[in-house]
Amino acid sequence: MSRMQHQQQAAQLMQQQQQNGPSSSSSSSLAPVQFLGSTGRPTLGSVGSGDVFFPGHGMDDSTTASGESSPRSSSVCGQHESPIVGFCEHCPQSSLCAICVAQHPGQHRVQPIGDIRMAVGELTNESQVLQWQCEKTGETIQRLIDGIVNNASTAENEIRTAFDTHVNALEERRKELLKRVEAVKSLKLSVLITQAEHLKSKQLDLQNAIQLAKHQMDTDSDDASSLRQIFDQLIACQMCSTEPNNNMLNVLMLACQLNEDDRLKFTAPQDGILLNKARQFGSIESGPCAKTSSIVGDNFKKAIRERQTVIYVQLRDACGDLLSSSIAATQPTAQALLPHQAPHAHLEQAMPTADVQAFVICPNGTPVDVSMTPRENGIVAVSYFPAIEGSYTLNILVKGSPIQGCPTTMEVRRGRNYDEIAAKGPILTFGKEGSGDGELCRPWGICVDQLGRVIVADRSNNRVQIFDKDGNFLTKFGASGNRPGQFDRPAGITTNTLNHIVVADKDNHRIQVFDENGMFLLKFGDRGRAVGYFNYPWGVATNSHNAIAVSDTRNHRVQIFTPQGQFVRKCGFDSAYFFKNLDSPRGLCYLPDGQLLITDFNNHRLAVLSPRNMSEMKVYGSEGDADGMFVRPQGVVIDPEGHILVCDSRNNRIQVFASDDMRFIGSFGLGPATAGFQMPQELPAPYSSLSGPFGAPAFSSTPTPLTPSPRQLLDRPTDLAVGPDGRIYVVDFGNNCIRVF
């Protein structure tokens, strides 16, 4: 709505009020402050409804009693039932009451509408309510500060008592826990004291503005300039600050949201704990902390229009440790802000109901619906649905304070269309059979490093070759042999966050790590079945912590190692849970939430492992050539939009799935259709597996027969990678080349 339209709306509203005669006169009057019960809580209602009074403003008692002074519906806020005091120049068709003003974005300019004297009165009333709320919140903060100090003292005493009988074996752990108590205490006190100081500053601003308003109202002066100055000052006191790093908080949020609580409790272990577990004796519970919590990864910064987007938040306590569970963190807090008060309706709406809150603002300034789902190990999944393209604002709060990196921005763009990719085919192809530079002989693994270079495991040439994004040869390293830096049929390849190159040296039964220039750094593993040993390791993958996952193919298991090659855990053949439930695993890929995706080669399916419990495994797919079915799946990768791409090698195609529910999206890798050939009207039904042991699909005794496709382009694709520009690089094993889509 334009400024002229707003002015016309204001003129029409004033004309309606004048036509109402006595009703309009009384509707601009203010009534005495009322209190609810014995709480001393002032309430704010509509002007003329008997809620607020300023000396000298005047009101006829008979008018007040008659109830005819209520404003007309067109001049009353439909949400708060409070008179309209102004409109926003930036928001179309926005009429604001005093309560709306307090919740409106600070960068927007609000203009008065109708009787400015009435508007100043309404804003003054709302300021009084906020001042009262600041006072009560300050008292609650002081109570929490005292509680934190007392609880810290209690926890310290309990810790000392519990450790008296274990002092020799548990001395180191005792010191650590006392240090953590002090850290929690210091951080919580610091946060609450800082909030108390901000409240005092805001109270002073409100007090000055209210006194000035009262003085002006007492004079019965209709000086529009003075009233407008007071109006602007009251507006400035209530709206969000426009200063950088204001964390999107206004005085309403500051007054209603506690930035910390007094949770600080020592939890002793059960009796009978063994002395060899003394280093893990007890824990400190303090709840999530904004300063140590953060968003996982940076993929959230790029989202796709009209596609559900999930942001993963890692909650940590004041000491920086992962929370044992995030469920409590996203449930309503145990203690109300004002336990014995009956808060005003709009203040109650402003009060948080959980420790964790998420806000997403779309490019046009409107909020987006957000849902939060607790996951294990302190992970919270924040979901939203971007409807338009542009720059979105994200702010995630823990107890009213922004976590690390918030507020921040996210770019939403149009998503990738895999049907178009399938129809268009590869945009370029590089490599041919041979042993010269840039030539390939049965290539297997591929990845794209942080420099945008394409790195290929040239298997039968026993080397690694590096190309630019357009397939131009850059350099190579490695030779045939079993010494450090030499290879015997290398297969899987990947890079970590340091841009180190990790290679599965398959027939040497080991993993080798190189720097980005191909200089040897370390190796680990040898042939065998014990943990840390391999029997033809095929695929490798790294996560954000640089842990290395290895598909130990002929041991039918997956092993996880530290960046230095130390064994961490395993899943597969010799597990009590999954006896050969992985049959020759090949490709590996870490999902954004930490789950590990595996292509189960001889079982013709995908397996997903939990990041914390390797006995938790979900499987998808079965043998066949219909959509969502596989024959010898190999390489797997996730694209920047969250799609899972799988090399369905013996079906000579790439299949694409949604990572949230493994829904089939599309496939590509076929050549142009030949004349006279048409796809059949009906295809076999999408995969639907019957439950086998441990949730695994049951398999048919007669596999689906495969019919050679006349549109075949790829010949047994083995691996694929996605570049920073979105290009998809596919290893065409049988054709000794790389296809780029």
Side-chain angles (χ1 to χ4, degrees), residues 15 87 104 158 190 259 266 285 370 388:
Q15 184 178 4
F87 66 89
H104 209 62
E158 290 178 349
S190 172
N259 294 160
F266 170 70
E285 178 186 341
V370 176
I388 61 176

Side-chain angles (χ1 to χ4, degrees), residues 52-378:
V52 183
F53 170 74
F54 288 103
H57 198 63
M59 172 172 284
D60 186 271
D61 293 339
S62 62
T63 303
T64 304
S66 69
E68 296 178 356
S69 60
S70 299
R72 290 173 56 87
S73 59
S74 60
S75 62
V76 175
C77 174
Q79 180 179 0
H80 304 112
E81 297 184 358
S82 185
I84 301 299
V85 299
F87 66 89
C88 178
E89 293 182 344
H90 298 77
C91 301
Q93 299 180 350
S94 64
S95 297
L96 307 175
C97 68
I99 300 172
C100 295
V101 168
Q103 301 171 347
H104 209 62
Q107 63 269 28
H108 291 191
R109 181 175 177 82
V110 177
Q111 295 288 353
I113 188 172
D115 186 352
I116 191 171
R117 184 179 183 84
M118 179 274 292
V120 170
E122 285 291 331
L123 290 170
T124 304
N125 292 341
E126 181 64 17
S127 297
Q128 285 182 309
V129 173
L130 292 176
Q131 184 186 34
W132 174 89
Q133 187 65 51
C134 288
E135 179 182 352
K136 293 300 180 182
T137 303
E139 295 174 359
T140 305
I141 288 177
Q142 185 58 51
R143 186 179 73 246
L144 291 177
I145 290 175
D146 295 339
I148 290 173
V149 174
N150 293 335
N151 288 344
S153 177
T154 301
E156 290 170 356
N157 292 333
E158 290 178 349
I159 290 170
R160 293 188 178 94
T161 300
F163 275 81
D164 282 345
T165 56
H166 306 81
V167 81
N168 292 329
L170 304 176
E171 182 65 18
E172 182 178 351
R173 180 65 174 170
R174 182 183 71 87
K175 292 179 180 180
E176 178 185 352
L177 288 175
L178 290 174
K179 181 179 178 180
R180 294 180 62 188
V181 167
E182 188 63 31
V184 173
K185 170 185 169 183
S186 299
L187 190 144
K188 285 179 176 279
L189 291 177
S190 172
V191 170
L192 288 173
I193 290 173
T194 299
Q195 186 182 10
E197 292 173 353
H198 290 167
L199 279 171
K200 289 180 181 179
S201 174
K202 184 57 67 175
Q203 279 183 279
L204 182 60
D205 293 342
L206 288 169
Q207 182 178 357
N208 292 336
I210 292 170
Q211 288 177 352
L212 183 60
K214 286 183 176 181
H215 176 74
Q216 187 67 29
M217 301 298 286
D218 290 341
T219 62
D220 274 338
S221 172
D222 291 325
D223 183 1
S225 176
S226 299
L227 289 172
R228 178 53 190 266
Q229 183 177 3
I230 296 172
F231 176 91
D232 291 340
Q233 186 172 356
L234 291 169
I235 289 289
C237 287
Q238 295 186 32
M239 295 177 66
C240 298
S241 170
T242 58
E243 298 177 0
N245 301 320
N246 61 22
N247 301 324
M248 300 165 62
L249 300 177
N250 56 20
V251 64
L252 180 62
M253 180 68 77
L254 183 65
C256 298
Q257 170 73 70
L258 293 172
N259 294 160
E260 261 298 356
D261 57 27
D262 60 352
R263 277 185 284 181
L264 202 165
K265 180 177 68 175
F266 170 70
T267 303
Q270 297 179 355
D271 294 337
I273 187 173
L274 299 176
L275 291 181
N276 60 2
K277 295 184 178 180
R279 293 183 181 274
Q280 301 299 321
F281 184 82
S283 62
I284 296 297
E285 178 186 341
S286 61
C289 173
K291 291 187 176 181
T292 56
S293 300
S294 60
I295 301 175
V296 178
D298 57 4
N299 289 336
F300 73 94
K301 294 182 178 179
K302 296 181 180 180
I304 304 303
R305 186 192 68 189
E306 297 180 347
R307 185 174 298 164
Q308 191 75 11
T309 301
V310 181
I311 302 167
Y312 294 97
V313 179
Q314 177 64 71
L315 299 179
R316 299 178 183 270
D317 62 18
C319 297
D321 294 334
L322 301 180
L323 294 186
S324 58
S325 173
S326 63
I327 296 178
T330 55
Q331 296 298 320
T333 51
Q335 185 177 13
L337 181 63
L338 300 174
H340 307 295
Q341 306 292 339
H344 193 276
H346 73 279
L347 292 180
E348 185 175 18
Q349 294 174 1
M351 293 179 185
T353 59
D355 287 338
V356 184
Q357 297 171 286
F359 302 92
V360 176
I361 308 298
C362 70
N364 61 15
T366 59
V368 179
D369 289 337
V370 176
S371 63
M372 293 189 294
T373 305
R375 302 284 180 85
E376 59 183 5
N377 303 303

Side-chain angles (χ1 to χ4, degrees), residues 386-408:
I388 61 176
E389 298 180 37
S391 181
Y392 286 64
T393 300
L394 169 68
N395 201 19
I396 298 176
L397 308 179
V398 171
K399 301 173 188 171
S401 295
I403 65 173
Q404 294 181 31
C406 282
T408 186

Side-chain angles (χ1 to χ4, degrees), residues 436-456:
D437 292 347
E439 297 178 340
L440 304 168
C441 186
R442 297 189 174 274
W444 198 272
I446 193 170
C447 66
V448 179
D449 70 359
Q450 296 177 11
L451 303 177
R453 304 179 304 173
V454 181
I455 307 175
V456 181

